[in-house]
């Protein structure tokens, strides 16, 4: 597993003293699959830098459904688990491990101090925060203005790019990512199967005609 210094993107921009302080402050943590590491705006546990595994940041809709905002993989930094450093910003975002995950955790008070004393840390954090908000705004536009078949097709295409074909997720897991119900996902997947776009099995969802599926997903693909 890589060290904090190997994972933190702007490590080489820090002074030796800053590197020593941050390295000493970062504590390794193992997170079990399904464990919640951040439970909303009142929770300020610190910054999580993922070393191995996967975290998912999501919100709960008014209907009680989960909607994934983004996922974090090795080398990704979770800002919202330390929302108290973000100028009083209050967001009810939850962060949960999708699989066994190993992270480095920097206490919020220490990172807040770096935000005030290190221009490199402040600039990097502000740029990352802006990128995360852009992701969230893009997602909200998708939910409001794009059809579900397009969003589901895009999810399948992007997931195969990340983890390969077939997609080894349950219909319930996909529903939680997309803020929908399992029954809705199942019906749409059955429609995709009837159109020859995918095949379904207990082992997962196999894309059988990615070109046509991409056409369905065109308005919802990030590329």
């Amino acid at each position: 597993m890589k060290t904090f210094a190997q994972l933190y993107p702007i490590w080489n921009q820090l002074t030796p003293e800053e590197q020593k302080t941050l390295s000493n402050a970062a504590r390794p943590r193992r997170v079990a699959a399904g464990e919640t590491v951040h439970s909303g705006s009142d929770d300020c546990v610190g910054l999580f830098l993922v070393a191995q595994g996967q975290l998912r940041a999501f919100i709960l809709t008014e209907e009680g459904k989960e909607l994934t905002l983004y996922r974090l993989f090795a080398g990704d930094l979770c800002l919202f688990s330390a929302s108290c450093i973000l100028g009083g910003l209050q967001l009810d975002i939850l962060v949960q491990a999708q699989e066994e995950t190993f992270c480095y955790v920097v206490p919020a008070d220490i990172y807040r101090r770096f935000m005030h004393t290190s221009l490199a840390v402040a600039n990097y954090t502000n740029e990352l925060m802006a990128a995360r908000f852009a992701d969230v705004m893009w997602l909200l536009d998708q939910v409001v203005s794009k059809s579900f078949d397009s969003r589901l097709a895009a999810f399948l295409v992007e997931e195969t790019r990340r983890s390969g074909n077939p997609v080894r997720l349950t219909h319930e897991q996909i529903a939680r990512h997309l803020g929908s119900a399992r029954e809705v996902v199942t019906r749409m997947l059955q429609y995709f199967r009837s159109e020859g776009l995918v095949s379904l099995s207990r082992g997962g969802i196999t894309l059988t005609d990615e070109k046509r599926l991409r056409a369905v997903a065109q308005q919802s693909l990030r590329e």
Side-chain angles (χ1 to χ4, degrees):
M1 187 172 71
K2 291 185 177 180
T3 65
F4 183 88
Q6 291 172 318
L7 290 165
Y8 192 57
I10 59 166
W11 182 258
N12 292 333
Q13 298 179 38
L14 304 180
T15 67
E17 182 179 351
E18 289 171 338
Q19 290 177 345
K20 181 178 179 181
T21 301
L22 201 53
S23 182
N24 289 339
R27 292 288 180 264
R29 176 174 170 181
R30 173 190 170 277
V31 184
E35 181 180 345
T36 298
V37 299
H38 176 66
S39 56
S41 59
D42 295 330
D43 191 10
C44 196
V45 293
L47 275 84
F48 281 76
L49 179 60
V50 180
Q52 182 179 319
Q54 179 186 162
L55 298 179
R56 179 174 73 107
F58 65 97
I59 58 173
L60 294 176
T61 69
E62 292 183 358
E63 296 79 19
K65 297 182 175 65
E66 297 179 8
L67 175 63
T68 297
L69 300 179
Y70 53 83
R71 285 180 284 175
L72 301 163
F73 303 96
D76 288 335
L77 186 70
C78 184
L79 286 176
F80 292 119
S81 56
S83 56
C84 56
I85 73 168
L86 303 178
L89 185 66
Q90 299 296 307
L91 293 170
D92 286 323
I93 294 174
L94 294 88
V95 182
Q96 188 179 72
Q98 291 296 95
E99 57 192 61
E100 184 178 51
T101 301
F102 295 89
C103 305
Y104 292 98
V105 185
V106 179
D109 58 333
I110 292 178
Y111 202 84
R112 183 192 291 113
R113 189 168 73 229
F114 270 87
M115 287 279 289
H116 287 95
T117 60
S118 171
L119 182 61
V121 171
N123 287 340
Y124 168 69
T125 305
N126 288 332
E127 289 172 3
L128 181 59
M129 183 166 57
R132 292 292 183 227
F133 275 111
D135 288 341
V136 171
M137 295 306 295
W138 180 87
L139 175 65
L140 293 179
D141 176 68
Q142 290 290 308
V143 173
V144 170
S145 62
K146 301 300 185 294
S147 63
F148 185 72
D149 62 338
S150 175
R151 292 176 55 222
L152 176 58
F155 177 85
L156 295 174
V157 169
E158 290 170 355
E159 189 65 18
T160 58
R161 184 186 306 146
R162 187 190 71 81
S163 59
N165 196 12
V167 175
R168 299 192 182 280
L169 294 173
T170 67
H171 297 190
E172 179 65 31
Q173 288 172 316
I174 295 173
R176 289 202 297 269
H177 280 303
L178 297 177
S180 186
R182 179 186 59 78
E183 296 79 6
V184 175
V185 172
T186 297
R187 284 198 298 270
M188 188 58 68
L189 287 173
Q190 289 173 344
Y191 170 73
F192 285 171
R193 179 176 61 182
S194 71
E195 292 293 305
L197 305 178
V198 303
S199 63
L200 307 177
S201 68
R202 294 182 64 86
I205 303 159
T206 302
L207 277 58
T208 53
D209 193 335
E210 185 173 338
K211 182 178 179 179
R212 289 175 57 215
L213 197 64
R214 278 181 172 274
V216 175
Q218 186 173 8
Q219 293 185 328
S220 298
L221 287 171
R222 291 177 184 267
E223 59 186 25

